[in-house]
Amino acid sequence: MLCQQKHILPYLDRIQAEVLIIWSKNDPTVTPEQGLYLAKLIKKSDFHLLNNAGHAIHIDRSEAVNRLIRQWH
């Protein structure tokens, strides 16, 4: 996390583009709070939290992820 704190997190507020963030409620490696923190740092982010998925949310909940991507702007 130290590398992220130094080289990534301080610059996320500079992102100008709209960003879709799809996060898993059940990922054992990164908590929903961490995703919400990123969403707060990225000014134009759209955060979605999906249940019943692990770290590979695009595989575990592929239909829901695809639907969100298709519907997003």
Side-chain angles (χ1 to χ4, degrees):
M1 186 73 158
L2 181 59
C3 185
Q4 290 177 359
Q5 289 174 340
K6 182 178 179 182
H7 298 290
I8 297 172
L9 298 179
Y11 304 99
L12 292 180
D13 64 343
R14 296 181 184 184
I15 295 175
Q16 300 277 325
E18 295 181 8
V19 176
L20 174 63
I21 301 173
I22 304 172
W23 210 266
S24 172
K25 184 176 180 183
N26 313 103
D27 186 339
T29 61
V30 287
T31 66
E33 291 77 23
Q34 288 170 290
L36 286 168
Y37 178 66
L38 292 177
K40 288 179 184 176
L41 291 176
I42 301 170
K43 293 180 177 98
K44 296 180 182 177
S45 66
D46 186 8
F47 181 83
H48 294 267
L49 185 64
L50 298 180
N51 199 9
N52 300 320
H55 192 69
I57 193 169
H58 62 291
I59 295 170
D60 298 339
R61 296 289 310 276
S62 61
E63 289 182 24
V65 169
N66 287 329
R67 184 181 65 251
L68 286 168
I69 292 169
R70 283 192 307 271
Q71 292 174 348
W72 190 65
H73 302 286

